[in-house]
Amino acid sequence: MSRWMEKDPGMLLKRSFLFGITGIIVCLLPLFNSYFNILSLPLGPINGIGIALQLFGLSIAVLVLRRRKLEEVLKDRAKKMILILAVALVYFFIVN
């Protein structure tokens, strides 16, 4: 874990965003499929992968926020990322 703490916080927030947005998109696929019936396959495992990606992005954002001597801009970005990913996770837990 020490390797993650030594990385640039801006780069870590970019990775957090990428994992989070990918997880949200992957979780939206089964939701759209349930409304439009595009595929007749069970898409439950895909939803689990999306939630896992969101959790990983959330954990990276929390890791950045726990750093000492962090600029206020990066702290604000990390807080926003945590809020967005937490709301998305709650939404996908309730919907599915």
Side-chain angles (χ1 to χ4, degrees), residues 15-51:
R15 286 185 183 176
S16 172
F17 175 76
L18 288 176
F19 280 113
I21 197 71
T22 304
I24 290 171
I25 290 170
V26 169
C27 280
L28 284 175
L29 292 176
L31 191 63
F32 285 145
N33 189 41
S34 68
Y35 288 121
F36 298 121
N37 289 330
I38 298 168
L39 298 171
S40 61
L41 298 172
L43 297 177
I46 292 176
N47 196 20
I49 292 170
I51 288 175

Side-chain angles (χ1 to χ4, degrees), residues 52-89:
L53 287 170
Q54 289 178 43
L55 284 172
F56 189 66
L58 183 67
S59 67
I60 293 173
V62 168
L63 181 74
V64 170
L65 190 61
R66 289 181 48 101
R67 274 195 155 172
R68 294 182 183 173
K69 299 178 185 175
L70 191 64
E71 299 171 10
E72 280 298 316
V73 175
L74 292 175
K75 271 189 182 180
D76 290 338
R77 286 183 188 170
K79 288 178 185 178
K80 288 177 187 177
M81 185 66 60
I82 291 169
L83 178 68
I84 290 168
L85 288 176
V87 169
L89 276 170

